[in-house]
Amino acid sequence: MSAGIAIVGMACRYPDARSPRELWENVLAARGAFRPIPPERLRLADYGGTPDGTYVAEAAVLEGWEFDRVRFRVAGETFRAADPAHWLALEVAADALADAGFPGGEGLPREAAGVLLGNTLTGEFSRAGLMRLRWPYVRRVADAVLVEAGWEVGARGRLLGAMEAAYKAPFPEPGGETLAGGLSNTIAGRVCNHFDLHGGGYTVDGACASSLLAVANACSALAAGDLDVALVGGVDLSLDPFELVGFARAGALAAGEMRVFDRRPGGFLPGEGCGMAVLMRLPDAVALRRAPYAVVRGWGVSSDGSGGLTRPEAEGQLLALRRAYARSGFGPETVAYFEGHGTGTEVGDATELRALGDARRAGGAARPAVVGSVKALIGHTKAAAGIAGMIKAAMALHAQVVPPTAGCRDPHRELCGAARQLAADPKGGPWPDDLPLRAGVSSFGFGGINTHVALEGVSEERRRGVPPDVAALLRSHQDTELFLLDADDAQGLVRRVERLRERGVLLSRAELGDAAAALHRELAGGRVRAAVVASTAGELVRRLDLLLERLRAGEERGVDARGGVFIGSGGTA
């Protein structure tokens, strides 16, 4: 068995998760972060029913994040010129280093510390900013149309002048920092620059496998002695038409609920975010008294060759698995949990499950391993997806808890039957006593790239059962919420329903539960009461509209079980 690469620090910012601990708690409770796509990110009404359109309605988006440029001593001009992906990556990198015991980079072997960061296409904000530079083309087209319509020179000039001002207003004026701030390859360099790291910093683009590919490359560099510390991860802030229209045309997006490793997959919902980990050779981590979350024992990378650019191939994935476990010193048949890539597409899920199953079957696995994917909760974060899966798997090993399989209502046929090698576990629970603390993480991408890492826990003491707080989180998942409201009179109830509707438009699935719990605490024994049952923000809004219609019509009692709306009045028992 290899000496191993220790994961000594982790940090992240994903939808509804500001840290690995919050991400892990959401995993245990199966709290989904999907919400209607905010109109300020993409006006869906502009992209429906056309060849240039998309049909997706929900995504997992970051809420409330603001970069503290004072903390990082970033000048205003520089801040405005760079894509937010740069700043999100820098912030999460700082948090990961602090978690590893290197706050502000202090104590790092700077000459041998490097940054390998997964990213594709920088971010949507840089691409949007390029529109400003396309104004001359837009002006020529508009002017030609106006000439065709018979407009005079003066009128054309006035209109085009007003159009130019309005067109350019949302985009920052180009400056000395614009080019560097809009490039993908400078994100890793910016982190090196801030912390004065000299081991090398570069961006890895392996499409949706980018961040786990960065992990594999960093492990190789550490094993070879090229680096002593590696800051690895991925960042992705791209929810713009280029990707959403493209994925829609490929049929990869979900039109409704995202299901992963399910018998009826419908595609994925988009996500965004950033995850980082600090890696060291295990003996070095022990010498510095750094306590690892887990150890990377093996890593493997392969390509599908002539199999195709966008269609996954089981043989290519098997090759990455064989390489990872050959390096790890143990086989996939000894692994209790696999964090899958899990795009929720028919071909993608079937191919991945078949490859994992074949690898375990070849080793003579005694019983099925649990499989799941964090994408079922935070969406497909593309270049930041693989590191999210590794953070989840590392937390599972650290806690000695097999996480529940989210987004799988009707398990895929590969997860059923007596001969199955993998299984879905909707409940989760303690790590099996008779299996070692081992997990595998997979990530694949366009171009036929396949990546897999094999992790192992470091605790010598095995826990029995799960702590009460973990047990409570595992029991807390609900796929539908009950919203209760009351007031002293009908007008007061209408006002409360209106306020809930206003807040409910952009609630994530996880926040639905929070809102329902808050309403329950606010109940005051009012004379008029109402209840709504809903599982998504869209369903909540539609049912609140129905409730408002009935309340405004003077209805005081009514049960609409199909519509999920209930109205009552009078004293309580």
Side-chain angles (χ1 to χ4, degrees), residues 348-444:
D349 283 3
T351 301
E352 181 176 5
L353 293 175
R354 187 164 62 253
L356 283 171
D358 288 348
R360 286 176 52 77
R361 194 172 291 109
R367 68 175 194 234
V370 175
V371 64
S373 174
V374 73
K375 290 181 182 65
L377 302 176
I378 62 171
H380 194 347
T381 57
K382 301 181 292 298
I387 191 67
M390 193 179 85
I391 291 172
K392 173 186 170 184
M395 293 296 289
L397 290 168
H398 187 67
Q400 299 185 26
V401 173
V402 175
T405 305
C408 184
R409 292 177 179 244
D410 185 9
H412 193 279
R413 59 184 178 278
E414 293 282 348
L415 306 180
C416 301
R420 71 190 190 278
Q421 291 292 318
L422 301 162
D425 181 359
K427 296 182 178 180
W431 208 273
D433 291 336
D434 57 341
L435 288 178
L437 292 169
R438 292 171 181 167
V441 185
S442 290
S443 198
F444 316 118

Side-chain angles (χ1 to χ4, degrees), residues 96-364:
L97 288 173
D99 187 54
F102 303 111
E106 294 302 316
L108 280 172
R110 297 181 192 271
E111 297 297 314
V115 179
L116 286 75
L117 180 68
N119 179 261
T120 60
L121 302 171
T122 310
E124 68 182 74
F125 307 94
S126 293
R127 294 199 290 277
L130 292 175
M131 292 176 63
R132 179 188 178 101
L133 305 182
R134 296 294 184 182
W135 167 249
Y137 168 75
V138 175
R139 187 188 191 285
R140 287 199 309 272
V141 172
D143 192 42
V145 172
L146 293 174
V147 169
E148 185 80 16
W151 283 52
E152 296 181 355
V153 174
R156 295 204 314 270
R158 288 190 295 274
L159 177 62
L160 291 172
M163 282 183 62
E164 179 177 7
Y167 182 89
K168 290 183 176 180
F171 312 117
E173 185 175 345
E177 299 279 352
T178 299
L179 180 59
L183 296 175
S184 174
N185 53 33
T186 51
I187 303 176
R190 192 177 297 279
V191 176
C192 288
N193 177 269
H194 181 83
F195 293 106
D196 192 27
L197 307 181
H198 299 271
Y202 56 93
T203 300
V204 177
D205 185 354
C208 299
S210 295
S211 55
L212 206 63
L213 186 61
V215 171
N217 286 343
C219 288
S220 293
L222 288 163
D226 297 332
L227 293 175
D228 291 336
V229 175
L231 184 59
V232 300
V235 61
D236 197 294
L237 293 175
S238 292
L239 293 174
D240 68 349
F242 177 70
E243 295 194 25
L244 296 188
V245 172
F247 281 127
R249 297 287 71 78
L253 293 178
E257 179 183 13
M258 182 175 176
R259 297 189 176 192
V260 179
F261 302 135
D262 193 273
R263 197 179 294 266
R264 293 190 298 152
F268 68 81
L269 291 173
E272 61 182 355
C274 180
M276 295 277 191
V278 180
L279 307 181
M280 302 175 66
R281 288 180 292 272
L282 181 58
D284 294 346
V286 172
L288 289 176
R289 296 184 179 179
R290 299 294 195 267
Y293 288 95
V295 175
V296 181
R297 291 292 186 188
W299 53 96
V301 177
S302 72
S303 288
D304 290 337
S306 61
L309 285 176
T310 60
R311 182 182 178 88
E313 296 289 338
E315 283 303 316
Q317 295 178 15
L318 267 170
L319 184 57
L321 289 164
R322 293 189 190 108
R323 289 171 174 169
Y325 290 100
R327 183 177 265 125
S328 73
F330 56 80
E333 69 278 2
T334 67
V335 172
Y337 176 73
F338 287 96
E339 173 64 17
H341 184 66
T343 56
T345 61
E346 184 172 356
V347 174
D349 283 3
T351 301
E352 181 176 5
L353 293 175
R354 187 164 62 253
L356 283 171
D358 288 348
R360 286 176 52 77
R361 194 172 291 109

